Amino acid sequence: MSKERQHFLDWFLYPRNIAVVGASNNPSRPNFYLFKNLIGLGFQGKVYPVNPTTNAVQGVRAYSRLRDIEEAIDLVICAVATPMTLDVIRDCVQKKVKGVVIVSGGFSEIGQEGAKLQDEIAHLLKESGIKATGPNTLGPINTSNNLAVSFHPIEQLRRGTLSFIFQSGLYEPRLSWLFSDFHLGISKLMDLGNKMDVNETDALEYLASDPDTKTIAIHSENVKGDGRKFLQLLKETTKRKPVIILKSGRTPGGVKAAMSHTGSIVQGSDSVFDAALRQSGAIRAQGLEEFFNLAKAFAFLTPPDNNRILVATLPGGEGVIAADLCQQNGLSMAELSPETIGKLKPIFPAWEIRGNPFDLGVCREFHPPELTYSLLLDSVVSDENVDCVAVQLSAPGWASAEDITTPFCRVAEKGKPIAAWLAMAPGKANIITEKVEAKHIPVYTSAEAAIKGLSALYKYKVMQEQKV
Amino acid sequence: MSKERQHFLDWFLYPRNIAVVGASNNPSRPNFYLFKNLIGLGFQGKVYPVNPTTNAVQGVRAYSRLRDIEEAIDLVICAVATPMTLDVIRDCVQKKVKGVVIVSGGFSEIGQEGAKLQDEIAHLLKESGIKATGPNTLGPINTSNNLAVSFHPIEQLRRGTLSFIFQSGLYEPRLSWLFSDFHLGISKLMDLGNKMDVNETDALEYLASDPDTKTIAIHSENVKGDGRKFLQLLKETTKRKPVIILKSGRTPGGVKAAMSHTGSIVQGSDSVFDAALRQSGAIRAQGLEEFFNLAKAFAFLTPPDNNRILVATLPGGEGVIAADLCQQNGLSMAELSPETIGKLKPIFPAWEIRGNPFDLGVCREFHPPELTYSLLLDSVVSDENVDCVAVQLSAPGWASAEDITTPFCRVAEKGKPIAAWLAMAPGKANIITEKVEAKHIPVYTSAEAAIKGLSALYKYKVMQEQKV
């Protein structure tokens, strides 16, 4: 662990060792996986289980209390019953640890009594200069040293350049998906919970200068502390890295729910926040699916030079839907060059068809799918009138997976942003999605997602040019 | 075939026999499946292949020309090259067939020349009193007699009470999904293409009085013929059956694409059409995914008595998102009765948590998932303050599929509308989705889809009450 620790969050993401207070031997308890994931994934550092009721946790010698550990401790995962948390924090102070993740809930989010206990803990830690995430949190995750703190069994990590900041746990039941069928590696993930100490400004500051992070995705229920400082930092960051934000607590009902979820007090109206976000150059996701969809678009693709899109669909009727979506999202239908039209003619039916939206289905009535996809993709990626491409993927059955994926894989490296979507249930298309996404062409479940992804990339580019 | 034919579309959906002109022996050609599906699925009537180049198609004696068939023919599927279509139509006239499906494209959608040929065909058929769907179409499908006209291999049909009207082919690459992982049976499907003759008013009129059809879903690019008649019929129909409409060609770009897709001339602005639809009591889907999602909600569930919803999520943060979505979609967060809160206490953590949105995740930190889901579902379905329920399904792994699905299956028959959504990739959750949807609880891929489904049901109920 030669990493030089320049930011206090380095102690959370690159700790030399971790003590898990509350580590369990019982596989039916979530605390089992808090420890198991660290061992099982091969965290590159020492791990100490702390549990007063046993000599060993999952085969590793256990300590009764934190202070019994001889070595100095960098990071403590504190996962004990709420009333016992204060005791653990006192031990942290005595051990002079660098950071604590307070996993337990039952603090400011439950009202006055919990808030009082949380304040007491905050006071103790501040006095001793110990930083803390939570309470009511999990994480962090860092794929570069196999660090993953989670209640869920994680079979594997997958390295990448996308990093996340979450308010609290939204990713938890989606972790195995994130590290498998999402097909997009992650660099770091930070979870903030009640934000008693570490807040999104800290986390964003850290990721903004993290060389492993190229794209940042933030889920937040409120902005804690100095809102202007956060927005200023966001503005600086988006000049260099795209930032996608999912902000919940948008309606009075959501605000009330946020209060009892993480004790978040949401200030100001959602429309004011929305306008501020737009000014900062961040991309706002309208829902959780869109949040992950946009993260993938930005992590996989470079923004198009301009807004002229070529759309190709299997049923012609989907081309009409796609054309509507392009116009609604600020993209214009590219006019194919005469050369491209010439190249495409061999796959036209007996009559002249429209080039954009391109009707793949009618061509496939007369020509094999591999030829249809190849001619189309090869010609449009070299057409200067086309800035980006959205193409529907055929269902396997009528064509082999290979016939469908080969043309995509060949043109992926040409640098023109291409987004694809499926004409079938995603479960049936795992092989196709995996192959195409391995070449950094995102595969979505609808034309809408593909077109919105390309549109967001284009808007980001325009915004960046305006900033210069 | 004892069915009495009262409407001319009975000849398309309940023909005694079908002649497929252009039936092919070559499995790489779509025309292969036009014939294969009828034989393979066991269409309950005779099927005659017509193909001048062979003695037999797929083992069935072939006829050189339509007029060579001795028997009188009810329905002709005409799938020959565009210029040869007129000849086939002349044979249809001579044979006095009842109906024709004109599969080929290359007519009004390609411009003046194609329109001229289409008009000639229309004139010939009209003179002879023969009805036609298309050109540029497929279908029909009727699961009650195993009739399915499609370019795609269909392994099985699945009977149900939902019927579709499509403008052209949007369902084609999704057919295997519709009859398998969609988990919702279909009664009838009609495709209209260029609507040279049969239009959506005819099709709606037919389905409105079809006893097997309980829910109608329509995709349309334009309304052909008398728009007021269509809207009046829609208004009458929605009193008895919910009608979901996906209308594309909403923007100038979409309108242009519709013109070259099915020769559709979209008249009037989209907002005028939108207002007219609302007045008619139809439910407008905003996209293709929502179209299928709403169809499932209406086919599976009965509308809630009022708009009070209980939401339960695994990560508490998703509860905040869900509360926002409820408010944005006109649902109000139910206040659980003291009895329900009392019943739920055993699964609360050490502190009092909020009942709605209900944090399943925090309960599952301390209690097994089966107990958590059971107590929640059992108590809320009998709570008079709750009109409908949206619940997130756990990922398998931490809990068995059985533990997750059993409580849902038990309460499904209580009649309170419940919609679920997954916290995982749909592919991984096939068993869970299948079991839960078998009990008519729709399982979606996002909280948004579940909440929008319940919201649409509630709005339909309000609209129906206003009509009385």
Side-chain angles (χ1 to χ4, degrees):
Chain A
M1 299 296 293
S2 62
K3 166 113 187 152
E4 206 184 316
R5 284 162 193 83
Q6 296 165 321
H7 190 283
F8 74 85
L9 282 173
D10 279 328
W11 295 112
F12 288 76
L13 289 156
Y14 294 94
R16 286 165 301 188
N17 58 31
I18 301 177
V20 181
V21 186
S24 167
N25 271 322
N26 180 351
S28 73
R29 295 298 309 273
N31 278 12
F32 179 85
Y33 293 104
L34 278 185
F35 190 74
K36 164 95 174 166
N37 285 325
L38 290 169
I39 301 294
L41 296 167
F43 166 62
Q44 292 167 15
K46 270 197 187 163
V47 191
Y48 295 100
V50 177
N51 182 330
T53 68
T54 180
N55 290 326
V57 171
Q58 299 173 41
V60 181
R61 180 198 157 185
Y63 293 79
S64 255
R65 296 199 63 161
L66 186 63
R67 60 184 180 211
D68 298 340
I69 303 172
E70 301 81 8
E71 201 184 3
I73 295 294
D74 284 352
L75 185 63
V76 172
I77 311 299
C78 172
V80 297
T82 318
M84 291 162 65
T85 305
L86 198 54
D87 267 357
V88 178
I89 297 300
R90 287 199 188 100
D91 279 9
C92 290
V93 170
Q94 199 191 316
K95 279 288 292 176
K96 294 182 177 135
V97 306
K98 303 294 186 184
V100 193
V101 176
I102 305 175
V103 172
S104 328
F107 291 93
S108 66
E109 80 277 16
I110 68 161
Q112 235 178 351
E113 204 188 331
K116 209 181 132 203
L117 183 55
Q118 183 173 309
D119 286 345
E120 200 173 337
I121 289 170
H123 182 73
L124 254 178
L125 290 172
K126 198 172 180 186
E127 261 191 349
S128 323
I130 299 172
K131 301 299 285 180
T133 59
N136 195 10
T137 192
L138 281 159
I141 291 175
N142 180 355
T143 57
S144 74
N145 58 358
N146 303 330
L147 164 61
V149 177
S150 166
F151 279 160
H152 279 258
I154 306 175
E155 298 109 48
Q156 57 177 352
L157 299 174
R158 188 183 180 120
R159 290 179 193 182
T161 60
L162 168 67
S163 289
F164 284 108
I165 302 168
F166 279 98
Q167 170 88 45
S168 179
L170 210 47
Y171 59 94
E172 265 285 282
R174 295 176 173 92
L175 264 183
S176 4
W177 166 75
L178 267 177
F179 287 120
S180 60
D181 292 341
F182 189 48
H183 297 148
L184 169 60
I186 288 170
S187 175
K188 297 175 182 67
L189 184 154
M190 283 185 253
D191 195 63
L192 304 174
N194 293 6
K195 295 190 279 196
M196 173 191 80
D197 177 17
V198 176
N199 64 25
E200 50 276 291
T201 305
D202 301 319
L204 179 59
E205 181 184 76
Y206 184 82
L207 294 177
S209 57
D210 174 35
D212 295 341
T213 297
K214 308 272 184 237
T215 309
I216 301 169
I218 305 174
H219 160 245
S220 176
E221 284 166 8
N222 70 341
V223 174
K224 200 125 178 186
D226 188 342
R228 268 182 307 181
K229 191 179 163 193
F230 175 73
L231 289 167
Q232 187 53 41
L233 175 61
L234 202 54
K235 203 167 181 170
E236 288 304 313
T237 309
T238 57
K239 281 182 194 161
R240 291 168 292 124
K241 303 179 181 184
V243 181
I244 295 123
I245 297 199
L246 175 67
K247 166 74 171 61
S248 48
R250 305 179 69 160
T251 64
V255 166
K256 209 168 150 193
M259 181 68 212
S260 68
H261 171 230
T262 50
S264 292
I265 298 161
V266 181
Q267 283 164 335
S269 79
D270 189 65
S271 58
V272 171
F273 185 77
D274 199 63
L277 268 195
R278 232 190 322 258
Q279 279 203 317
S280 75
I283 300 105
R284 185 168 191 177
Q286 296 302 319
L288 188 54
E289 280 189 309
E290 192 172 306
F291 179 66
F292 288 115
N293 285 344
L294 290 177
K296 190 176 275 183
F298 278 90
F300 274 173
L301 303 173
T302 50
D305 290 335
N306 209 326
N307 74 337
R308 298 165 306 171
I309 188 171
L310 178 282
V311 176
T313 64
L314 289 164
E318 201 144 350
V320 181
I321 291 175
D324 279 338
L325 286 165
C326 289
Q327 181 141 8
Q328 286 160 344
N329 288 282
L331 299 175
S332 81
M333 300 303 280
E335 242 183 77
L336 299 183
S337 72
E339 293 75 28
T340 301
I341 294 284
K343 287 185 207 163
L344 290 174
K345 281 220 168 134
I347 47 166
F348 278 7
W351 58 95
E352 182 102 358
I353 62 164
R354 193 181 163 86
N356 192 14
F358 188 83
D359 192 331
L360 288 161
V362 75
C363 296
R364 279 192 41 205
E365 280 177 40
F366 307 97
H367 306 286
E370 207 274 348
L371 177 69
T372 304
Y373 277 119
S374 282
L375 263 187
L376 177 78
L377 291 171
D378 289 341
S379 58
V380 299
V381 295
S382 55
D383 187 333
E384 285 184 359
N385 293 349
V386 176
D387 302 306
C388 57
V389 181
V391 190
Q392 187 170 29
L393 284 162
S394 167
W398 216 31
S400 75
E402 198 86 1
D403 277 355
I404 300 164
T405 59
T406 306
F408 283 88
C409 295
R410 195 174 53 237
V411 297
E413 277 137 33
K414 297 291 168 86
K416 197 160 277 185
I418 303 175
W421 78 96
L422 299 167
M424 68 217 96
K428 293 262 158 82
N430 271 347
I431 310 163
I432 290 176
T433 306
E434 202 179 322
K435 283 196 176 177
V436 174
E437 293 205 325
K439 297 289 181 180
H440 284 199
I441 293 176
V443 179
Y444 297 110
T445 54
S446 67
E448 192 172 342
I451 288 163
K452 282 189 171 171
L454 293 168
S455 160
L457 282 162
Y458 169 67
K459 285 175 188 160
Y460 178 68
K461 188 196 158 77
V462 170
M463 179 276 304
Q464 274 193 314
E465 283 169 350
Q466 284 167 347
K467 273 190 172 178
V468 176
Chain B
M1 299 296 295
S2 60
K3 165 112 190 155
E4 204 185 317
R5 284 162 193 85
Q6 296 166 322
H7 190 284
F8 74 84
L9 282 173
D10 279 328
W11 296 112
F12 288 76
L13 290 155
Y14 295 93
R16 288 165 300 188
N17 57 32
I18 301 177
V20 181
V21 185
S24 167
N25 271 322
N26 179 352
S28 72
R29 295 298 310 272
N31 278 12
F32 180 84
Y33 293 105
L34 279 186
F35 190 74
K36 165 94 174 166
N37 285 324
L38 291 169
I39 301 294
L41 296 167
F43 166 62
Q44 292 167 15
K46 271 199 188 160
V47 191
Y48 295 99
V50 178
N51 183 329
T53 69
T54 179
N55 291 326
V57 171
Q58 299 173 41
V60 181
R61 180 199 157 182
Y63 293 79
S64 255
R65 295 198 66 158
L66 186 63
R67 58 186 180 207
D68 298 340
I69 303 172
E70 300 82 10
E71 199 183 4
I73 295 295
D74 283 353
L75 185 63
V76 173
I77 311 298
C78 172
V80 297
T82 318
M84 291 162 65
T85 305
L86 199 55
D87 267 356
V88 177
I89 297 300
R90 288 199 188 102
D91 279 8
C92 290
V93 171
Q94 198 191 319
K95 280 287 293 177
K96 295 184 176 133
V97 306
K98 304 292 187 185
V100 193
V101 176
I102 305 174
V103 172
S104 328
F107 292 92
S108 66
E109 80 278 18
I110 68 160
Q112 235 177 350
E113 202 188 335
K116 210 182 131 202
L117 183 55
Q118 183 174 310
D119 285 347
E120 200 173 339
I121 289 171
H123 181 73
L124 254 178
L125 290 171
K126 200 173 178 184
E127 262 191 348
S128 323
I130 300 172
K131 302 299 285 180
T133 60
N136 196 9
T137 192
L138 282 159
I141 293 175
N142 181 355
T143 58
S144 75
N145 58 357
N146 302 331
L147 164 60
V149 177
S150 166
F151 279 160
H152 279 257
I154 306 175
E155 297 109 48
Q156 57 177 353
L157 297 174
R158 190 182 179 122
R159 291 182 190 182
T161 59
L162 169 66
S163 289
F164 284 108
I165 301 168
F166 279 98
Q167 170 88 45
S168 177
L170 211 47
Y171 60 94
E172 263 286 282
R174 295 177 173 90
L175 264 183
S176 10
W177 166 75
L178 267 177
F179 287 120
S180 60
D181 292 341
F182 188 50
H183 296 147
L184 170 59
I186 288 170
S187 175
K188 297 175 182 67
L189 184 153
M190 281 184 255
D191 194 63
L192 304 175
N194 294 4
K195 295 189 278 196
M196 176 190 78
D197 176 19
V198 176
N199 63 24
E200 49 278 292
T201 306
D202 301 319
L204 179 58
E205 182 184 77
Y206 184 83
L207 293 177
S209 59
D210 174 35
D212 296 340
T213 297
K214 307 271 184 242
T215 309
I216 300 168
I218 304 175
H219 160 245
S220 177
E221 285 166 9
N222 71 340
V223 174
K224 200 123 177 187
D226 188 343
R228 268 182 308 183
K229 191 180 163 194
F230 176 73
L231 289 166
Q232 187 53 41
L233 175 62
L234 202 55
K235 202 166 182 172
E236 287 305 312
T237 308
T238 57
K239 281 182 192 159
R240 291 167 293 123
K241 302 180 181 184
V243 180
I244 295 122
I245 296 200
L246 174 67
K247 165 75 172 61
S248 48
R250 306 178 69 161
T251 65
V255 166
K256 208 168 150 194
M259 181 67 211
S260 69
H261 172 231
T262 51
S264 293
I265 298 160
V266 182
Q267 283 164 335
S269 79
D270 189 66
S271 58
V272 170
F273 185 77
D274 200 63
L277 269 195
R278 232 189 324 258
Q279 278 202 321
S280 76
I283 300 105
R284 183 167 192 177
Q286 296 302 319
L288 189 53
E289 280 190 308
E290 193 171 305
F291 179 67
F292 289 115
N293 285 344
L294 290 177
K296 190 176 274 183
F298 279 90
F300 274 173
L301 304 173
T302 50
D305 290 335
N306 209 325
N307 74 337
R308 298 165 306 171
I309 188 170
L310 177 283
V311 176
T313 64
L314 289 164
E318 201 144 350
V320 180
I321 291 175
D324 279 338
L325 285 165
C326 289
Q327 183 140 6
Q328 286 160 344
N329 288 283
L331 299 174
S332 82
M333 300 302 282
E335 242 184 75
L336 300 182
S337 72
E339 293 75 26
T340 300
I341 294 284
K343 286 184 208 163
L344 290 174
K345 280 223 167 130
I347 47 166
F348 278 7
W351 59 95
E352 182 102 358
I353 61 163
R354 191 180 164 88
N356 193 13
F358 187 83
D359 192 330
L360 288 160
V362 75
C363 296
R364 278 192 40 204
E365 281 177 40
F366 307 96
H367 306 286
E370 206 274 348
L371 178 69
T372 305
Y373 277 118
S374 282
L375 262 186
L376 177 78
L377 291 171
D378 289 341
S379 57
V380 300
V381 295
S382 54
D383 187 332
E384 286 183 359
N385 293 348
V386 176
D387 303 306
C388 57
V389 181
V391 191
Q392 188 170 27
L393 284 162
S394 168
W398 215 32
S400 74
E402 198 87 359
D403 277 356
I404 299 164
T405 58
T406 306
F408 283 87
C409 295
R410 195 172 55 237
V411 298
E413 278 138 33
K414 298 290 168 85
K416 196 162 278 186
I418 302 176
W421 77 96
L422 299 168
M424 70 219 92
K428 294 261 157 82
N430 271 346
I431 310 163
I432 290 176
T433 306
E434 201 179 324
K435 282 195 176 178
V436 174
E437 293 205 325
K439 295 290 181 181
H440 285 201
I441 293 176
V443 179
Y444 297 110
T445 54
S446 67
E448 193 173 341
I451 288 163
K452 282 190 170 170
L454 293 168
S455 160
L457 282 161
Y458 170 66
K459 284 173 188 162
Y460 178 68
K461 188 196 158 77
V462 170
M463 180 277 304
Q464 275 193 312
E465 282 168 352
Q466 284 168 346
K467 275 189 174 180
V468 176

